[in-house]
Amino acid sequence: MARRTRIAAVLTLAMINVFTLAASITVARMLPPRLAALRVPTVAAGPVDGAGTVLAPATADGSLPSASGLRSALAGPLSAAALGPQVSAVVADPATGRVLLSKDGARLLTPASTAKLVTSVAALAVLGPNATFTTRVVNGGTPDRIILVGGGDPTLAVNQFPAQDYPQPATLASLAAATARALKSQGRTTVSVGYDTSLYTGPGLAPGWPQSYIATGNVTPIVSLEVDQGRLTTAGTPEDSDDPYNLRPRSADPAGVAAASFTALLAADGIHVTGSPVAQAAPVHALGIASVSSPPLSAIVDQMLEESNNVIAENLARQVALATGQPASFSGAVAAVIRELRRLGVKGGLRLVDGSGLSPQDAIAPATLVKVLEIATTDTRVRALLAGLPVAGFSGTLSGGQSVFSGIGGAARGSVRAKTGNLGTVTALAGLVTDRSGTTLVFAFMADQIPAAGMLQTAANAIDAAAAALANCGCR
């Protein structure tokens, strides 16, 4: 039987070989006409056309604008009466650091929100673009006690944000659900809740911040546990949406609001909570129950710069302090930020009392802002800053209706990426521009003695015009 099987196998293989040979002969006969039909390209017998000049010869100065050309282009916008008597400007080549124009570039001026560039660079350099911030729940000092521990996540929310919002934050809803699962697995269904904000120290408001900043929706007291940056709905509940233009009064007790929200979510998840949340420090080395983490720092910086978010900026400055061994207070944070800027090569022109630029006591030279932007173009750890800069006419505070700079147009549209800044009598713009010849430049325009607050819009229009003139320049 085995012998007949082997014979059948040999015969089968022989027949396959015969069919394969016949098919090969058929294909060989068909191939030449099929290849001819494809009209396979052939190499020309001689040259068809000569190549033209692709790039013009390089010059000693490359394609950089001249100082005289820049002065001529910017003279009109920067001499506008609405800007007042103290106007400074710097334009430079980011590739070499060469200053092309400086008008009182070393003078210290009130930066307003352009100070967020400094905080961004320090945070990215110290923490790295992939850093995240964690909010935890840990066991308290007694078996029925749990503590919500703030980790300084400035994007923490109560519930999931609308799908179109970016970045999507960590939520107390997720944290409460994970906490409830863990407690039930341990047979614990009744707890009391404490909340810990001891990560940060010092006052909640910076020097120069009036209490009205809370009432006008600019900021909330800076603590390590808050939700929605303290923004509230008309009903006084957390907003659960990223709406930078919600100018309703913010929470005066952001940690208490966060703790109350967490407690309500925990109860909805089947855990009986006794009493109200109480502020208390978590025990040292307390065992963890659950945690949630923020989006990466690069995405947080992007959000902060796009919408000029003050609460995010202050939290990032505190995180720099924590990472470098400084107290996580306003004074410790600015000391840590300035120290990191010095390490990165920024030698002077910097005096801060906060990380957001909200205080009129802050002072930065335009040359310092330009140096910070140059660092962002060359240092891979901080390059994420560039992605967050608003684009003129298209995004963030440089888009229509989003700030006093929203009228920026002309050649600046799509060519200018910059951080805006304004207080009552202060206007500033610092960023990058691609000029008419395709050259990328960095610039900072600042004016901090606008004659009257009612002239702010006209002053911002003049700064917009200066950016447009730079984009339209070439200026040989």
Side-chain angles (χ1 to χ4, degrees):
M1 181 68 180
R3 185 170 178 273
R4 282 202 296 271
T5 301
R6 283 196 298 272
I7 292 172
V10 170
L11 289 173
T12 300
L13 289 172
M15 292 176 67
I16 290 173
N17 287 335
V18 170
F19 284 124
T20 300
L21 180 61
S24 299
I25 293 170
T26 301
V27 170
R29 288 176 177 174
M30 294 171 58
L31 195 54
R34 292 297 177 95
L35 286 177
L38 289 174
R39 294 185 178 273
V40 178
T42 58
V43 178
V48 176
D49 197 6
T53 301
V54 177
L55 295 174
T59 63
D61 291 330
S63 57
L64 295 175
S66 66
S68 60
L70 288 170
R71 278 194 297 271
S72 177
L74 297 174
L78 294 184
S79 63
L83 291 175
Q86 187 155 285
V87 182
S88 295
V90 173
V91 180
D93 171 22
T96 63
R98 175 183 168 188
V99 175
L100 305 174
L101 172 74
S102 179
K103 172 181 166 56
D104 296 317
R107 179 165 57 189
L108 289 170
L109 290 91
T110 306
S113 283
T114 59
K116 293 181 175 71
L117 294 171
V118 171
T119 299
S120 298
V121 163
L124 287 165
V126 169
L127 304 169
N130 296 319
T132 58
F133 312 116
T134 302
T135 306
R136 301 177 296 134
V137 175
V138 302
N139 284 308
T142 60
D144 65 344
R145 190 75 160 172
I146 63 172
I147 300 176
L148 175 64
V149 183
D153 175 4
T155 62
L156 185 67
V158 178
N159 295 296
Q160 185 174 358
F161 276 13
Q164 69 269 20
D165 285 0
Y166 176 83
Q168 284 289 308
T171 67
L172 290 181
S174 294
L175 183 59
T179 300
R181 289 193 298 270
L183 291 174
K184 290 174 184 177
S185 72
Q186 301 167 10
R188 302 163 68 186
T189 57
T190 299
V191 296
S192 59
V193 175
Y195 61 97
D196 183 348
T197 61
S198 62
L199 187 66
Y200 295 170
T201 61
L205 301 182
W209 286 14
Q211 194 73 23
S212 62
Y213 275 177
I214 299 174
T216 54
N218 284 291
V219 76
T220 192
I222 304 304
V223 291
S224 60
L225 176 64
E226 49 82 17
V227 288
D228 301 341
Q229 293 102 49
R231 295 190 184 111
L232 301 172
T233 66
T234 53
T237 59
E239 187 176 41
D240 275 345
S241 176
D242 180 30
D243 179 9
Y245 310 109
N246 173 358
L247 299 180
R248 287 186 290 271
R250 298 205 190 192
S251 171
D253 180 21
V257 169
S261 299
F262 174 76
T263 300
L265 289 164
L266 199 60
D269 286 325
I271 300 298
H272 178 63
V273 179
T274 61
S276 299
V278 176
Q280 69 172 102
V284 178
H285 307 306
L287 292 177
I289 297 173
S291 66
V292 290
S293 293
S294 72
L297 176 60
S298 57
I300 295 175
V301 167
D302 186 293
Q303 178 183 352
M304 177 188 72
L305 295 175
E306 282 275 348
E307 60 190 45
S308 202
N309 191 301
N310 298 310
V311 174
I312 291 179
E314 298 301 341
N315 275 271
L316 295 189
R318 302 288 179 104
Q319 295 289 353
V320 174
L322 290 168
T324 56
Q326 295 290 320
S329 60
F330 281 106
S331 60
V334 298
V337 167
I338 291 172
R339 180 176 298 177
E340 179 59 20
L341 266 291
R342 299 285 182 261
R343 189 190 69 79
L344 291 170
V346 179
K347 300 304 181 185
L350 185 61
R351 186 177 70 237
L352 299 173
V353 299
D354 65 21
S356 62
L358 264 182
S359 177
Q361 297 179 26
D362 293 324
I364 301 179
T368 298
L369 293 176
V370 162
K371 178 64 176 177
V372 165
L373 289 162
E374 289 173 355
I375 292 169
T377 66
T378 57
D379 188 328
T380 56
R381 281 177 64 83
V382 302
R383 194 167 292 161
L385 175 154
L386 301 178
L389 292 175
V391 179
F394 291 94
S395 66
T397 53
L398 284 180
S399 59
Q402 306 307 315
S403 77
V404 293
F405 296 93
S406 60
I408 193 167
R413 289 178 64 86
S415 297
V416 169
R417 300 184 69 104
K419 182 69 197 77
T420 59
N422 63 272
L423 294 172
T425 56
V426 175
T427 183
L429 188 68
L432 288 79
V433 59
T434 302
D435 72 9
R436 190 172 60 187
S437 67
T439 301
T440 298
L441 305 170
V442 289
F443 69 92
F445 303 143
M446 305 176 73
D448 68 351
Q449 291 186 14
I450 296 171
M455 301 178 71
L456 177 61
Q457 182 61 68
T458 306
N461 292 344
I463 294 291
D464 284 346
L470 192 56
N472 196 42
C473 189
C475 299
R476 302 294 177 269

